[in-house]
Amino acid sequence: MGTVLAGMLLAACTQAPDMSGIAHERNRSVQRYDVSQAIASNGDVLVVGTQNGVALVSHDQGKNWERIVLGQTSLVDIAVCKDKRFVAIDHYHKVWSADAQGRNWQSVPLAQPHTPLAVTCSPQGDWWVAGTNAVIAASSDAGKTWRTTDFGEDTQITAIQFVDDRHAFALGEFGLLLTSADGGASWRKGPALPGEFYPYAALFRNDREGWVSGIAGQVLHTVDGGASWKKQVNATQVSLNRLFMHDGVPHAVGNAGVVARLVGDTWRAVPYPDPVPVFLGGGASLADQKAIVIGGPGGLLRALASANQE
């Protein structure tokens, strides 16, 4: 009896567990389970696509974030169109779009390519999607209708970019290089990149100069529109997953929490406070802020000052 009474008194005196930390975490816009895969900025608004069906939107250059739940989707790439609207792709055969404020998200179905891997907008405002089976799809009416170019190969196209009204590049596995000189009306297969190169990301400054990053930290550079390529030194020694321009200089984010920039002909790590050694899936320029924003797993989203980089 005494033992039971003591147990009752102990239970009565035991405080309820403190759940405030859990409640606080649930109220945060960016959650620990968010995995950032793509980041885009239209100069005013930042949009981050995640693996878990959420778009994260910032109207103050990454200081605060708004959480927009899209449902069953995994946004793998995002682009900005000429009217500052956003267009994104997911692994569930859909193309998503949002207004210039990163809101009012809508989706349209996408039949081909079966798995979209890269998206961009042309200067004319058309949507362009590339992916598996060497298929490129384009829409001039916000996804109501699509026209496709099928190269008939079991090859993934992993990068696509328009550099002006006429010139565009698409790159894929086994060193595949496709170019257009008529605004995407037709595409021509160029000489293959050396070593059956598998591109993770590509960045072209114009119709002559560009960079492509790939497996095991490889980076190639062209100054003749892809007719030839030269290997560049990647001093970070990690794979660079996204390439983007910042203050006129090529930058990248990669594995092991690496942020890199091109210095001469060498890609060098950009030091930043409290680096986290994780896969960085997204990066974008905050030019007006002299900063870049990076994203990865574990709800990682950070803006890094770049004004004093050498």
Side-chain angles (χ1 to χ4, degrees):
M1 179 66 177
T3 302
V4 174
L5 180 59
M8 293 175 62
L9 290 172
L10 180 61
C13 295
T14 300
Q15 293 183 348
D18 184 1
M19 307 295 286
S20 60
I22 296 176
H24 174 73
E25 180 66 24
R26 287 175 177 171
N27 289 330
R28 293 179 58 185
S29 298
V30 181
Q31 301 285 340
R32 284 196 296 262
Y33 52 80
D34 289 333
V35 179
S36 300
Q37 300 185 130
I39 304 175
S41 171
N42 64 11
D44 302 314
V45 177
L46 274 168
V47 170
V48 177
T50 72
Q51 193 179 79
N52 47 289
V54 168
L56 300 170
V57 181
S58 175
H59 296 89
D60 55 10
Q61 304 297 304
K63 296 181 181 67
N64 297 283
W65 295 91
E66 176 183 352
R67 187 177 188 84
I68 300 176
V69 178
L70 303 179
Q72 186 181 11
T73 181
S74 176
L75 299 181
V76 296
D77 200 14
I78 304 175
V80 177
C81 296
K82 66 175 184 177
D83 57 2
K84 292 194 171 186
R85 293 174 61 86
F86 295 87
V87 60
I89 52 173
D90 73 13
H91 276 313
Y92 298 96
H93 317 301
K94 294 188 293 294
V95 178
W96 291 82
S97 61
D99 61 25
Q101 294 301 308
R103 298 181 176 127
N104 299 312
W105 287 84
Q106 304 289 331
S107 68
V108 295
L110 181 73
Q112 293 291 332
H114 181 70
T115 302
L117 298 172
V119 65
T120 193
C121 282
S122 70
Q124 294 85 355
D126 293 357
W127 296 356
W128 290 82
V129 179
T132 52
N133 299 114
V135 171
I136 297 175
S139 177
S140 301
D141 54 12
K144 295 182 179 66
T145 60
W146 294 89
R147 58 190 185 276
T148 60
T149 301
D150 187 343
F151 291 91
E153 298 184 17
D154 185 16
T155 303
Q156 297 186 124
I157 299 175
T158 57
I160 185 168
Q161 181 187 349
F162 279 77
V163 296
D164 56 38
D165 289 346
R166 294 183 298 125
H167 297 96
F169 296 87
L171 298 97
E173 333 178 68
F174 311 117
L176 178 66
L177 171 66
L178 304 169
T179 63
S180 177
D182 53 14
S186 63
W187 294 83
R188 180 180 63 87
K189 185 181 291 189
L193 278 68
E196 295 192 337
F197 195 92
Y198 185 96
Y200 285 173
L203 174 67
F204 285 83
R205 189 192 300 275
N206 50 45
D207 66 334
R208 305 294 293 171
E209 186 176 26
W211 298 263
V212 59
S213 60
I215 294 173
Q218 300 175 81
V219 181
L220 299 179
H221 178 226
T222 182
V223 293
D224 52 17
S228 64
W229 296 85
K230 181 180 179 181
K231 186 176 181 179
Q232 289 191 321
V233 176
N234 178 5
T236 74
Q237 299 184 335
V238 303
S239 296
L240 303 178
N241 305 314
R242 298 278 179 174
L243 304 179
F244 56 96
M245 202 68 74
H246 175 62
D247 281 350
V249 178
H251 281 65
V253 294
N255 294 350
V258 165
V259 177
R261 73 191 298 261
L262 184 61
V263 181
D265 290 326
T266 300
W267 291 83
R268 299 193 181 279
V270 176
Y272 62 95
D274 303 318
V276 181
V278 297
F279 170 96
L280 294 181
S285 172
L286 303 177
D288 291 343
Q289 303 295 314
K290 290 290 184 180
I292 60 176
V293 62
I294 62 172
L300 174 64
L301 275 176
R302 294 178 60 185
L304 309 175
S306 62
N308 295 321
Q309 292 177 11
E310 297 296 332

